[in-house]
Each structure stands twice: as structure tokens, then as C-alpha cells.
Amino acid sequence: MPLVNADIAAVFSEIADLLEMEDANPFRVRAYRNAVRTLGEMGRSVREMVAQHENLDALPGIGPKLAAMITEVVDTGTCAQLKRLRQEVTPALAELLKLPSLGPKRVRALHQELGIETLDQLRRAAEQRRIRTILGFGAKSEQQILDAITALQHP
């Protein structure tokens, strides 16, 4: 099935999440998030634009580097940047992003403060009430995390 704009946007969204987990420059993360928004709001197929050799960096928020990455994703289904980031960020840590109550910043905080890298470690930390000791988390957050883990493991 050919790629649609949402597929390309998903690649850029994952890149932004992984960069944010690495505590990358916020402007760089924002550039990827803006690209996701631009791709999502477009009324035209980016795949067709690439096929017609249109200038992608004329799109709002898309510079030459992001335009080249869009072309790479259209041509291959992925990009080198995403592959590199997936290797740098522990796969189990990236798995935590599947929980609706956790975003990249919260995953990074859990990893930095409690050394959490897996769902099992996260579940144990929540059951032991250690998550609430992290700034920005509380008892309610802990319970949401436990509920999300249960829902993920027992659909």
C-alpha cells in the first residue's frame, strides 16, 4: 500500500518523540512536530509532489533537510535518522511511549530519576509508589500508569 501523508507524518512524529527522549535541542524537536502538522494539514499527496519533483522545502516549516527526509521516506518507507534514533534509544524505553499517560518528557524523567527502562520496571515502581516521588507525578499519575499497563498487557 502506498504511503500517504499520515504515514510520513508518523515517521516524523516518532523522530520528534525519540529526540525529545534524548533531551535534544527543543527547536529541533519543534521542527519535526511542525513538519507533522504541515503534513497532516496538506490537501495534496506528498508522494505525488515527490513524484513530480516539486520543491518540498517551499512548504511551510519544511526546510531543505526535512524535504530530503520526506523524499527518503516516500522512496524507502523510512529514513536513516529514524533508524539511528531507534538504535540509540533503548527499544524497551521507546515501548513506554505506547502508554497514553506517558509522553517523551515523562519517559525521560522516569528513566533519569528511577532508572526505568521496561514496562515491568515501570509497573513495579508504580506498585511501590516510587513514581509519585518524581516532580510532576503524583498518586493519580501512578494509578493512570498502572491502569494503562494493565490495559496494554490484557486487551
Side-chain angles (χ1 to χ4, degrees), residues 51-104:
Q52 296 172 4
H53 304 291
E54 292 186 38
N55 185 12
L56 297 178
D57 59 350
L59 296 170
I62 306 294
K65 184 176 178 181
L66 289 177
M69 289 178 70
I70 290 171
T71 301
E72 182 182 3
V73 173
V74 167
D75 291 343
T76 67
T78 190
C79 67
Q81 171 79 349
L82 180 57
K83 288 178 185 178
R84 182 185 63 75
L85 286 167
R86 282 178 174 165
Q87 289 175 340
E88 289 177 6
V89 175
T90 307
L93 199 57
E95 186 78 11
L96 298 180
L97 287 173
K98 291 184 179 177
L99 297 175
S101 55
L102 295 179

